Amino acid sequence: MGRGEPGHNCKCSYNRATLIVCSINIVAALFVLRSLYTHLVDSHTTFRYTPGQIREMQVSNQIRKASEPTKLIELVTQLKKKIAKEESVVELPRHLKVKLIDEILNRLRSLDAATNTTAQRDTVETWRKEKLKEAKKLVRGKILNSTILPEEAEIVVRALSSGWVELAEEIGLWIPVEIVNKEHDDKPDGEEEFEILPGRQLPAECHAELHTDYGGVAVRWGLTHPKESAYDCCMACLDQAKNANQGVKKCNIWVYCPSETGCFSPDIYQHKNQECWLKYSDTPKLNFKGTYSDSYRDTHPNAPLIVPWVSGVVSV
């Protein structure tokens, strides 16, 4: 029995040590949990601004609002609404579209054959206004003797007002704008026109004709054949005819552009000053002489009044 007492004391010391270690671990765990909790609470705590900082933020907000393009924003908003409204134009039913086309054609057929395009446009516009007024009355509930049914009136109003351009394009209604060419002549009465070409005086053998454009087969392409003057262009034509090899067409027409702003031609090219065309033709024929006619200028709006070219037919 006496030898068992030391073992018992050792066992008690072991239990006590275990208890102490566990207690320390629990305290450490509680300390860690408290630290985490404190950190979380602090992170959610509302930051308090000083009165000075609050005033600075208020001033900053006022400056930001004052610098906003409020008028531009309002205009953009209105424009978006307008575009949305225009895009919401309802497609006309086919039978209604055909009905409107027939009415427009009947109005145009009532005009004389010689009626100009301005009168035609005015006639169509008058019809549109009358039909639009008629449709608006039907929308308001008025009973009219109309080709439009009451249930179709609203869509017709939209088609003839905001959707008129799209409707006109869809039905193929296109009337060209009339071009009126007016000649301005400030030359005194009785005074003859006198024009001097730059460069040396042309000899008689060049047979120079002002404001004239002759046709023919190109012996020398004018776009890549500039000359300083009409005299030089004529000499180039005579030299080519004199030195041409057998079987090669000899130049008998020269056409020169003396205008500093270039010369008009109905082709796809841009003709510049000093262009010199060397041409050949068995029977030289005029393209244009003097002035371009009104009918030609109606179909070629870029054409000037006076033919800018100078030409000549030479003997070879």
Side-chain angles (χ1 to χ4, degrees), residues 12 75 78 124 126 167 211 225 227 237-238 268 291 302:
C12 292
L75 290 174
Q78 293 175 3
V124 174
T126 301
L167 177 62
H211 309 301
H225 187 237
K227 291 296 177 181
C237 179
L238 294 173
I268 62 174
T291 59
N302 294 327

Side-chain angles (χ1 to χ4, degrees), residues 7 18 47 62 114 179 193 209 278 286:
T18 302
F47 182 80
Q62 292 175 357
I179 301 173
E193 183 179 359
E209 299 180 48
L278 307 184
L286 286 169

Side-chain angles (χ1 to χ4, degrees), residues 24-285:
I24 293 173
N25 289 337
I26 292 173
V27 171
L30 291 174
F31 178 77
V32 172
L33 290 174
R34 182 179 181 278
S35 299
L36 292 174
Y37 176 76
T38 304
H39 176 71
L40 292 174
V41 171
D42 291 341
S43 64
H44 288 81
T45 302
T46 304
F47 182 80
R48 295 183 179 276
Y49 294 97
T50 64
Q53 291 174 328
I54 294 174
R55 283 194 300 271
E56 290 179 357
M57 287 189 290
Q58 291 175 345
V59 172
S60 177
N61 287 333
Q62 292 175 357
I63 294 174
R64 179 178 58 80
K65 289 182 179 180
S67 62
E68 288 182 353
T70 53
K71 291 185 178 180
L72 178 61
I73 293 173
E74 291 177 359
L75 290 174
V76 172
T77 303
Q78 293 175 3
L79 183 61
K80 286 182 178 179
K81 291 180 179 179
K82 183 178 180 181
I83 293 175
K85 183 178 180 181
E86 291 179 352
E87 289 179 349
S88 63
V89 176
V90 180
E91 179 74 15
L92 283 176
R94 179 174 177 78
H95 73 280
L96 184 55
K97 191 184 302 181
V98 171
K99 188 187 300 183
L100 296 179
I101 292 173
D102 289 341
E103 292 188 17
I104 294 173
L105 291 177
N106 289 333
R107 284 292 184 96
L108 292 175
R109 290 192 188 102
S110 64
L111 300 175
D112 296 333
T115 302
N116 57 30
T117 56
T118 301
Q120 293 175 2
R121 295 172 66 90
D122 291 342
T123 299
V124 174
E125 182 62 18
T126 301
W127 170 87
R128 185 187 73 85
K129 291 180 178 179
E130 292 175 356
K131 186 59 63 174
L132 181 59
K133 184 178 180 180
E134 179 182 321
K136 286 181 177 179
K137 289 182 178 179
L138 290 173
V139 171
R140 292 195 295 266
K142 291 189 177 182
I143 300 176
L144 301 174
N145 184 16
S146 173
T147 57
I148 303 174
L149 299 177
E151 57 270 19
E152 299 172 340
E154 186 174 351
I155 192 174
V156 171
V157 169
R158 295 171 64 183
L160 297 182
S161 53
S162 62
W164 171 241
V165 175
E166 292 78 6
L167 177 62
E169 291 180 356
E170 187 178 353
I171 65 177
L173 178 63
W174 181 79
I175 302 175
V177 178
E178 184 178 12
I179 301 173
V180 180
N181 298 307
K182 294 183 180 180
E183 180 179 356
H184 177 69
D185 186 7
D186 55 358
K187 179 169 62 66
D189 295 338
E191 182 176 335
E192 295 183 1
E193 183 179 359
F194 182 72
E195 186 172 346
I196 299 176
L197 289 172
R200 295 178 59 180
Q201 184 175 357
L202 288 157
E205 60 182 332
C206 291
H207 303 285
E209 299 180 48
L210 296 177
H211 309 301
T212 305
D213 178 16
Y214 275 97
V217 178
V219 174
R220 190 65 188 272
W221 199 252
L223 296 174
T224 56
H225 187 237
K227 291 296 177 181
E228 290 292 331
S229 65
Y231 172 87
D232 295 324
C233 185
C234 174
M235 292 299 106
C237 179
L238 294 173
D239 290 342
Q240 191 277 342
K242 181 179 179 181
N243 299 318
N245 295 327
Q246 186 176 2
V248 177
K249 289 183 172 62
K250 297 181 179 181
C251 174
N252 65 340
I253 301 170
W254 59 273
V255 181
Y256 183 74
C257 177
S259 174
E260 293 182 356
T261 58
C263 295
F264 168 80
S265 184
D267 54 33
I268 62 174
Y269 304 104
Q270 183 179 0
H271 299 278
K272 299 180 179 180
N273 176 229
Q274 298 185 346
E275 277 190 18
C276 175
W277 291 79
L278 307 184
K279 302 180 180 181
Y280 170 79
S281 177
D282 290 333
T283 55
K285 294 181 181 180

